[in-house]
Amino acid sequence: MTSTAGTSAPHVPSYVEQLAGYLERQRWFSGKGRRFTVEHVQRLPWLPSAADAADSHVRIELVTVRFADGSVDTYQFPTAYLIDPDPDLGHAYVGTLHDEELGDVSSYDAVHVKPATEALLRGFLEHWQDDGLAFCVLPDTELPTDAVGSLMTAEQSNTSVAYGDDAILKLFRRIGDGHNPDIEIHNALTRDGCEHVAPLLGWLEGRWSDGEGEPHQADLAMLQVFLRTAADGWSLALASVRDLFVEEDLHPDEVGGDFAAESERLGEATALVHVELARSFSTDSLGAEAVGEIVDGMRARLDRALAEVPELAEFEAGLRRRFDSVAAGSVPVPVQRVHGDLHLGQTLRTVKNWKLIDFEGEPVKSLAERVKLDSPLRDVAGMIRSYAYAAGSGLLGFGSTAQLTYRAEEWTARNQQAFLDGYSAASGAELDPADPLLLAYEADKAVYEAVYEARNRPTWLPIPLRAIGRIAAGD
């Protein structure tokens, strides 16, 4: 007989523990690598389901997680409960639990479950509302009626489901109270007939209480026209870089994949969107004190970055001089609503023109920070950095020989200038690439990139460091 004295039964994880384990494996969960616990799960009403989906029940859940440092995030988690487990959905399986209404069920991430994606679309078709949930649709909007939801795989901070060739639903994963700027801006620009965004069709609002009974309200998702045949700007730029590197001995304007004309058109589109944003929302101008506060934020981010990325130390003095030059620069500085996180990956080229997408702003920032008025130069700086990133990533693939590095710098300068030319022509304001504020925004963005790469892709760190070195040296 084998003695069991001193042994204990194996730990059986609770559903909350299973949910935490699923969260930390997802690309959109921003707490990876940090210790956290699931503090509260608030379940919203059941969504309307089709008659042939009686064995599938769908609802949106708001999951509050608390990190070891005391900070708290809330994530949207559309959940499908299946009476019988589905072996084909193992990748989306969360755990098992006993529901008071359904009994013993298996829980799945609903975006992977076909009847669940159909239930989300049905909510818009029926303009469905219940306590805590409201599907809103713009007037005179045509919605797909029989399209099957297809999960998109490219996103990181959110999750999108395409419905045929007509519509795409973006589910915001990390939720903050208030109206999401992506919906707010698309709503205004769609109503104004702006041609450089994909029209908004509708959105989903949620209301709930947290574990302490405090009320919350937030936008949970947006439905818009799906530009299925469009190509994203990042992929097009990379193709142009590859064409150049294959030729190697030719200048960018001599290669068939020259991208400068498209960069100029993209600059025009960006300027026209900024013009529309200035018309649709409030504008202001900043005096010396307010500009100083912007610069103080840049200095503070540099301080934090220096502690995390030792390679920045040799550029510290030059970066601080760059920031100081803004504080002594001219005012006032015009500010308005901007994109806030603009780069080539946030653009789409259709057969007609360029479109800007994802006006949510930087996901790591609070809602108050993302809707704050800012200089359009922040978006311009983001695009300037993105061209350098495209060229730098190409060098990683081909090898940073002296010849290819020279060609990469040529390609970057040519496309940056083309973008600035297009922007200047459409906005009526001549952009100076040596503008101290523009260079400061560019430096601030590059510092942010250095921290990101050091954390996630150390082999990519030379890309932002190269730009930081140029900016710090005043080149």
Side-chain angles (χ1 to χ4, degrees):
M1 178 179 295
T2 302
S3 172
T4 59
T7 65
S8 59
H11 173 70
V12 178
S14 66
Y15 176 71
V16 166
E17 290 173 320
Q18 294 176 80
L19 177 58
Y22 185 85
L23 291 178
E24 66 181 355
R25 297 193 299 271
Q26 305 312 303
R27 294 176 67 188
W28 45 260
F29 182 64
S30 63
K32 290 185 288 294
R34 302 167 62 191
R35 291 193 299 113
F36 73 94
T37 56
V38 173
E39 188 172 74
H40 180 69
V41 179
Q42 179 63 41
R43 297 178 169 93
L44 298 184
W46 297 110
L47 297 181
S49 60
D52 59 355
D55 60 343
S56 175
H57 301 267
V58 184
R59 64 186 173 197
I60 291 174
E61 302 183 351
L62 287 308
V63 182
T64 301
V65 301
R66 182 175 294 277
F67 297 99
D69 62 3
S71 61
V72 174
D73 280 343
T74 298
Y75 289 87
Q76 176 185 191
F77 194 71
T79 307
Y81 292 130
L82 304 187
I83 304 301
D84 298 314
D86 188 338
D88 293 331
L89 292 174
H91 58 287
Y93 175 74
V94 179
T96 58
L97 72 159
H98 183 82
D99 184 83
E100 293 182 358
E101 299 178 49
L102 306 177
D104 293 330
V105 290
S106 296
S107 168
Y108 295 85
D109 189 341
V111 298
H112 297 269
V113 182
K114 179 177 175 291
T117 61
E118 292 174 345
L120 288 165
L121 179 60
R122 189 173 296 106
F124 288 102
L125 290 168
E126 298 178 4
H127 295 210
W128 191 79
Q129 296 192 23
D130 200 337
D131 183 28
L133 209 57
F135 288 83
C136 307
V137 179
L138 265 64
D140 304 319
T141 293
E142 291 188 15
L143 301 177
T145 57
D146 57 356
V148 176
S150 175
L151 180 65
M152 309 295 286
T153 59
E155 289 186 293
Q156 294 185 0
S157 58
N158 297 303
T159 301
S160 290
V161 177
Y163 293 98
D165 295 332
D166 302 312
I168 186 166
L169 177 68
K170 179 161 70 172
L171 295 147
F172 304 118
R173 287 296 194 168
R174 184 167 173 256
I175 300 298
D177 282 10
H179 206 31
N180 189 286
D182 206 5
I183 296 173
E184 185 182 23
I185 288 177
H186 271 96
N187 192 2
L189 297 186
T190 297
R191 293 177 185 274
D192 290 343
C194 180
E195 296 184 349
H196 294 290
V197 297
L200 180 70
L201 301 174
W203 66 93
L204 176 59
E205 297 177 355
R207 297 178 299 279
W208 71 97
S209 297
D210 60 23
E212 298 178 354
E214 293 295 323
H216 297 271
Q217 179 277 326
D219 292 328
L220 303 178
M222 64 181 287
L223 187 71
Q224 63 185 135
V225 171
F226 184 28
L227 306 173
R228 178 177 285 277
T229 60
D232 71 273
W234 175 254
S235 297
L236 293 174
L238 286 183
S240 174
V241 171
R242 286 193 295 268
D243 288 346
L244 175 66
F245 287 177
V246 167
E247 296 292 347
E248 189 170 352
D249 292 330
L250 297 180
H251 297 287
D253 60 336
E254 298 172 330
V255 178
D258 183 23
F259 197 60
E262 289 299 336
S263 293
E264 186 171 356
R265 296 185 187 100
L266 181 53
E268 294 173 358
T270 303
L272 292 175
V273 168
H274 281 161
V275 170
E276 292 289 343
L277 289 173
R279 290 173 181 165
S280 300
F281 298 94
S282 62
T283 61
D284 202 351
S285 59
L286 303 183
E289 182 177 351
V291 172
E293 292 176 358
I294 292 177
V295 176
D296 285 343
M298 295 177 178
R299 294 186 181 112
R301 285 186 288 274
L302 175 59
D303 289 339
R304 293 191 293 270
L306 286 166
E308 192 166 346
V309 186
E311 293 87 345
L312 289 174
E314 66 175 296
F315 308 118
E316 178 182 1
L319 288 171
R320 294 198 185 280
R321 284 195 299 271
R322 180 63 64 196
F323 295 149
D324 292 344
S325 69
V326 176
S330 60
V331 291
V333 172
V335 291
Q336 60 171 83
R337 291 294 294 273
V338 298
H339 185 285
D341 188 28
L342 189 60
H343 52 79
L344 286 163
Q346 306 282 38
T347 67
L348 294 175
R349 184 63 165 100
T350 69
V351 294
K352 182 179 180 181
N353 58 17
W354 281 97
K355 310 283 188 184
L356 272 57
I357 61 174
D358 293 340
F359 288 81
E360 193 178 357
E362 290 187 8
V364 297
K365 291 184 176 180
S366 67
L367 178 62
E369 290 175 308
R370 285 184 276 144
V371 301
K372 192 174 182 179
L373 302 187
D374 205 340
S375 169
L377 292 181
R378 180 180 292 280
D379 287 347
V380 174
M383 287 301 304
I384 288 175
R385 286 295 313 127
S386 195
Y387 284 113
Y389 241 77
S393 65
L395 286 174
L396 290 177
F398 277 78
S400 300
T401 66
Q403 176 74 351
L404 289 184
T405 299
Y406 181 77
R407 292 292 179 240
E409 292 172 352
E410 277 190 323
W411 185 94
T412 300
R414 176 173 172 78
N415 284 279
Q416 288 175 340
Q417 189 58 56
F419 179 87
L420 294 175
D421 290 344
Y423 189 99
S424 297
S427 66
E430 190 70 25
L431 287 183
D432 179 4
D435 184 314
L437 183 57
L438 177 58
L439 287 171
Y441 276 122
E442 187 182 348
D444 187 48
K445 182 71 171 179
V447 168
Y448 165 85
E449 293 163 354
V451 173
Y452 178 87
E453 301 302 359
R455 290 175 178 173
N456 299 281
R457 297 182 298 194
T459 58
W460 285 52
L461 184 57
I463 299 177
L465 289 181
R466 188 178 296 115
I468 290 169
R470 175 183 58 80
I471 297 169
D475 295 339

